[in-house]
Amino acid sequence: MEKKLGRNDKCWCGSGKKYKNCHIDFDEKLEEYKNKGFKIPSHKMIKTDKDIEGIKESAKINIACLDEVGRQIKAGMSTQDIDDIVYKVTTDMGGIPAPLNYEGFPKSVCTSINDEVCHGIPDKDIILKDGDIINVDCSTIYKGYYSDSSRMFMIGNVSKEDQDLVRVTKESIEEGIKAVKPWTPLGNVGAAVHKYCKDHGYSVVREIGGHGCGIEFHEDPFVSFVSKPNTGVLMVPGMCFTIEPMVNIGKDKIYQDADNGWTIYTEDGEKSAQWEVQLVVTEDGCEILSY
């Protein structure tokens, strides 16, 4: 339970200001929503201005990695080549690849091809071929702050069916972003994403979703992309999370690679696509931090 502060106590956010001159109005508004039956976020979910600036600096590296992958990616290169690019750009800019050794993950980035939903492990023997679609999921630590985003890349001559999957998945994120409004429930975001994908004939993975991110790699809240409208925790200014639906041509069923313990596949072998953005909720919507 969060400590009850007096008006003249230092604010919980670490600003050094007295509570009455900082977050007291914010907390009173939270209490009003709580009394109306809304689920409100903990203070731990709220990023300060200093935190947000730190995350933005981390995101500069994350975006630079994805930009460089975009310049170099092509048929004939291995997914290990992608990992090498990400590691070099990250470390050259003073960062640390967040996935590297995270809970035993052995590489600096996730590379998920075709029916791989997420957490594909780079390997020198996995070679990109003409017609492949691949998600490159990059996460960076810089001076203690985390950034996280991913992009889809289409290799050579990609089928119209797969192009449409990649496009609609990206468009679904844009629908999710439109639904990010302060003092409204987080479930509205997932509901908007899910509706857009379903209306275009796709399914959305249920078990894996977005997450809070910034001070740690994975924080609360969990962001479902099959949620119902007007459910979930209240989105409030300073909340930082990812929108990253995993969208399948076929059914939403998935399974985990029994050998490496990481890579997730579609159960029916159909293609899957994912884009990811990291954002912070603002007073009038949101600001995209990493994309």
Side-chain angles (χ1 to χ4, degrees):
M1 190 171 181
E2 293 177 347
K3 180 184 175 183
K4 183 77 172 176
L5 294 177
R7 292 175 58 83
N8 291 313
D9 289 338
K10 286 187 177 180
C11 187
W12 54 262
C13 73
S15 66
K17 296 178 182 178
K18 290 183 178 180
Y19 184 45
K20 66 182 180 182
N21 296 323
C22 199
H23 271 92
I24 193 169
D25 290 341
F26 177 87
D27 282 351
E28 287 175 350
K29 190 169 183 178
L30 279 179
E31 193 65 22
E32 288 175 13
Y33 275 90
K34 182 180 179 181
N35 291 336
K36 293 177 183 176
F38 288 90
K39 182 180 179 180
I40 63 170
S42 66
H43 288 161
K44 191 175 181 181
M45 291 189 207
I46 312 303
K47 303 296 182 287
T48 65
D49 290 344
K50 180 184 175 183
D51 293 334
I52 293 166
E53 287 308 308
I55 296 166
K56 286 180 178 178
E57 290 302 306
S58 177
K60 288 178 182 177
I61 301 174
N62 211 61
I63 293 166
C65 287
L66 291 170
D67 286 347
E68 188 59 32
V69 169
R71 282 188 282 269
Q72 296 193 40
I73 198 167
K74 61 183 179 181
M77 74 186 301
S78 72
T79 53
Q80 180 59 51
D81 293 331
I82 296 172
D83 191 80
D84 292 342
I85 291 167
V86 169
Y87 183 83
K88 185 176 190 310
V89 172
T90 302
T91 54
D92 282 354
M93 295 180 71
I96 300 168
L100 187 59
N101 299 318
Y102 175 76
E103 295 186 354
F105 190 81
K107 298 293 181 174
S108 298
V109 68
C110 296
T111 50
S112 305
I113 304 173
N114 296 332
D115 65 331
E116 295 176 343
V117 174
C118 62
H119 304 160
I121 300 176
D123 191 293
K124 63 181 178 57
D125 294 325
I126 300 176
I127 308 300
L128 295 179
K129 303 184 300 295
D130 186 71
D132 282 341
I133 60 172
I134 178 172
N135 177 265
V136 178
D137 190 348
C138 189
S139 310
T140 302
I141 311 168
Y142 181 68
K143 295 184 178 179
Y145 289 102
Y146 289 77
S147 54
D148 189 11
S149 56
S150 78
R151 298 179 195 171
M152 291 298 298
F153 296 98
M154 295 185 284
I155 309 301
N157 299 300
V158 173
S159 70
K160 175 68 163 52
E161 181 182 46
D162 293 350
Q163 289 181 42
D164 288 345
L165 171 66
V166 171
R167 173 181 56 79
V168 170
T169 303
K170 187 174 184 181
E171 290 171 353
S172 76
I173 282 187
E174 293 163 3
E175 293 301 306
I177 290 170
K178 291 176 190 174
V180 179
K181 297 176 181 177
W183 309 104
T184 65
L186 180 59
N188 294 349
V189 175
V193 169
H194 191 214
K195 182 180 186 305
Y196 192 82
C197 294
K198 189 176 179 182
D199 287 350
H200 285 79
Y202 301 111
S203 66
V204 181
V205 171
R206 295 175 173 273
E207 296 90 339
I208 310 170
H211 54 91
C213 184
I215 306 300
E216 299 174 11
F217 196 172
H218 294 94
E219 306 171 355
D220 288 331
F222 173 74
V223 185
S224 169
F225 300 110
V226 293
S227 52
K228 302 295 183 184
N230 299 314
T231 62
V233 70
L234 207 65
M235 293 181 284
V236 299
M239 185 184 288
C240 184
F241 58 86
T242 66
I243 300 179
E244 49 175 312
M246 299 159 206
V247 182
N248 299 346
I249 286 179
K251 296 181 179 179
D252 61 6
K253 301 300 182 184
I254 59 174
Y255 72 94
Q256 186 177 61
D257 189 303
D259 293 326
N260 68 35
W262 280 99
T263 308
I264 305 297
Y265 295 85
T266 59
E267 191 174 272
D268 57 16
E270 295 283 3
K271 302 284 181 64
S272 184
Q274 179 193 25
W275 293 82
E276 178 182 13
V277 298
Q278 180 181 10
L279 59 82
V280 60
V281 181
T282 63
E283 295 290 347
D284 57 1
C286 68
E287 179 181 1
I288 305 300
L289 303 178
S290 191
Y291 55 87

